[in-house]
């Protein structure tokens, strides 16, 4: 029988929402994370003539000091110029040589409109230091200044920046450098200019840090490096090589494992029925919920399964460790914000064999098949009892905040905005968290930015281990989630929008501090188009005797209304769904996984993530804690 015949047989045997996956399906790797050239930077890189100049007056250069009055040892001399360039899509480069009268010349690249906008922002920046009112105020207030002794250091720093910046441009045709290296790009299909940018912008930090030219030869599909220092060129070449592994790791499919707890207890029956799962709206045969059906097991069969329970648990533990090992290998090269959590819900199948009523052994065999697909759904049919259940277990939970009693715990209020950046259609996410102080006044706790993929998915999973207990009708998903950082040129818009987000003091609150209305105010920003808003209220409790935290969240999902179909006076956001989530986390996990966001191009985490980094007391101890939480708050239907 041919492979095509085998695949056709599989299609007949399996059913589900997910399309059949051909065994030979090919992956196309995604681009490396980098700041793509804006039009001004692209023009500068091509060595085009500047599109404008701006003269910084002498009194400005003598009255404002970069880096708080000290000549900088690293970074930009005028970081404000970099921010202006990012906001206006331009390239701004100061000349190292001042004019005869002492002024500095700024050269600008970009479109006519963007250069004019940049000049206006530069005027706004220097105005406080050059206006007559500012000069009068200097008699009374101390202004950081560059002294005549510091000027040579500042000019030397500008010259050094300009010298290193030249490595971002094409190498001069008449220059021969002693050190060179070549990296043969492994893929003929995923070319470097598609993965690292048209001008290999992803390698700009290597160019300036290692002081070498990095170019791409499309005919040979090679990356060529040239410089004056052999060690630096070799190091740059090795990091270019590692960057390919990093790009490949970002495109690997998530590690997904399904662990079925031993069939034990009075609820276990002779067969398992795959019943249609319709939590909110009819979904046909797309998802199925496995539930026990039929007669109770005979005594001898119950005894036999109970005797095998420890073997099943040990096998599940081995599978979980193997999943963590596979994921940690990918994670070494993964630049992103990484989070780990255990999320409670119901286990449902999205791809399954067509027999909708199965024996226990048949179900076990199906769950070992690589074609089976499932997930832990958030649907908690006892959601309205969650907070009340926690309050009833002071022997297990304590407040995670300054509150003295469980019933006094108030939530953290989070507004999670998903927006499209109009200039380049990038999908961005901004989470703004508020808390109430002891007097009930809201204050901003944190702001977090992330860049989403082209589909706008709020969460990207690289590991998902589903631990399902069919008898208890519950499951835990051990999830490792990633969020990409936002490119620098998009940050000004996000900062501007974030500054408009406020939380008025709540006038009325429900039990446990719950709010039923939209609790954040914001002002639209022209560059950002709001797509959706999630209003999240999260209650946090410590789990006694452990370092773990229980988080219970109410999520109110709002989405954008289509203006073409909107009714008169209709609000532009509509309610899509309201659901609850239950997560178990550990504060130390954030610091353990924090090193990934600090990775530079071609760098990797020094030490691979190990089991004890996430579970210092062991996997069994962690699953025991999850079981205690489930027993305390779970109420199956």
């Amino acid at each position: 029988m041919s492979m095509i015949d085998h695949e056709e047989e599989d299609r007949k045997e399996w059913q589900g929402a997910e399309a059949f996956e051909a065994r030979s399906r090919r992956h196309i790797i995604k681009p490396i994370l980098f700041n793509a050239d804006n039009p001004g930077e692209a023009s500068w890189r091509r060595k085009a003539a500047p599109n404008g100049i701006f003269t910084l007056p002498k009194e400005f250069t003598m009255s404002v000091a970069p880096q708080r009055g000290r000549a900088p040892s690293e970074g930009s001399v005028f970081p404000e110029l970099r921010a202006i360039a990012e906001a206006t899509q331009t390239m701004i480069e100061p000349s190292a040589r001042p004019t005869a009268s002492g002024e500095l010349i700024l050269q600008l690249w970009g479109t006519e409109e963007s250069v004019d906008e940049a000049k206006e922002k530069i005027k706004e920046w220097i105005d406080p230091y050059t206006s007559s009112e500012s000069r009068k105020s200097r008699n009374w207030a101390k202004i950081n200044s560059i002294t005549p002794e510091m000027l040579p250091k500042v000019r030397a720093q500008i010259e050094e920046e300009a010298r290193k910046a030249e490595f971002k441009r094409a190498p001069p045709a008449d220059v021969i450098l002693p050190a060179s290296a070549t990296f043969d790009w492994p893929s003929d299909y995923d070319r470097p200019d598609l993965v690292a940018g048209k001008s290999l912008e992803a390698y700009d930090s290597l160019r300036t840090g290692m002081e070498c030219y990095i170019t791409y030869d499309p005919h040979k599909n090679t990356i060529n490096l040239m410089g004056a220092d052999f060690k630096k060129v070799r190091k740059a070449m090795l990091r270019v090589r590692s960057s390919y592994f990093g790009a490949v790791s970002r495109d690997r499919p998530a590690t997904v494992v399904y662990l079925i707890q031993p069939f034990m207890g009075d609820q276990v029956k002779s067969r398992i029925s795959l019943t249609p799962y319709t939590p909110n709206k009819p979904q046909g045969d797309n998802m199925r919920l496995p539930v026990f059906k039929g007669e109770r097991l005979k005594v001898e069969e119950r005894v036999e399964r109970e005797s095998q329970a420890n073997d099943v648990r040990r096998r599940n533990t081995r599978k979980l460790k193997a999943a963590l090992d596979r994921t940690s290998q990918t994670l070494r090269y993964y630049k992103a914000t990484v989070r780990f959590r255990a999320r409670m819900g119901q286990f449902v199948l999205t791809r399954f064999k067509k027999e909708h009523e199965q024996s226990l052994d048949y179900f076990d065999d199906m769950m070992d098949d690589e074609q089976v697909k499932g997930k832990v759904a958030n649907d908690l049919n006892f959601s309205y009892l969650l907070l009340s259940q926690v309050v009833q277990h002071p022997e297990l939970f304590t407040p995670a905040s300054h509150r003295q009693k469980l019933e006094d715990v108030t939530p953290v209020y989070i507004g999670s905005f998903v927006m499209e950046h109009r200039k380049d259609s990038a999908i961005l996410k901004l989470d703004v968290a508020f808390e109430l102080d002891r007097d009930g006044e809201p204050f901003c706790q944190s702001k977090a930015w992330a860049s989403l993929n082209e589909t706008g998915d709020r969460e990207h999973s690289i590991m998902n281990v589903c631990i399902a207990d069919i008898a208890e009708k519950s499951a835990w998903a051990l999830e490792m989630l990633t969020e990409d950082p936002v490119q620098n040129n998009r940050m000004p818009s996000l900062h501007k929008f974030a500054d408009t987000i406020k939380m008025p003091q709540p006038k009325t609150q429900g039990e446990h501090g719950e709010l039923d209305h939209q609790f954040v105010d914001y002002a639209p920003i022209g560059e950002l188009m709001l797509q959706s808003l999630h209003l999240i209220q999260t209650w946090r409790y410590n789990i006694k005797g452990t370092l773990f935290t229980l988080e219970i969240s109410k999520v109110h999902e709002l989405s954008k209304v289509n203006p073409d179909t909107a009714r008169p006076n209709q609000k532009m956001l509509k309610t899509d769904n309201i659901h609850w989530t239950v997560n178990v986390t550990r504060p130390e996990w954030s610091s353990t996984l924090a090193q990934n966001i600090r990775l530079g191009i071609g760098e990797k985490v020094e030490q691979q993530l190990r089991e004890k980094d996430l579970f210092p007391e062991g996997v069994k101890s962690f699953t025991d804690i999850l079981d205690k939480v489930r027993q305390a708050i779970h109420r199956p239907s």
Side-chain angles (χ1 to χ4, degrees), residues 583-620:
N583 297 327
V584 171
T585 64
R586 185 171 183 150
E588 286 78 4
W589 287 342
S590 297
S591 56
T592 299
L593 301 169
Q595 51 192 332
N596 286 79
I597 193 59
R598 297 192 290 266
L599 291 178
I601 185 71
E603 293 181 338
K604 64 179 180 180
V605 175
E606 288 301 321
Q607 189 170 5
Q608 184 170 312
L609 188 66
R610 300 162 297 177
E611 175 196 346
K612 68 178 184 180
D613 294 327
L614 295 179
F615 313 115
E617 296 83 15
V619 171
K620 184 179 183 305

Side-chain angles (χ1 to χ4, degrees), residues 54 61 68 105 159 167 172 178 378 391 396 420 481 578 589:
F54 189 96
T61 60
R68 296 187 181 177
I105 304 297
E159 287 184 349
F167 289 107
N378 265 334
V391 171
L396 184 58
E420 181 180 348
L481 308 167
I578 297 177
W589 287 342

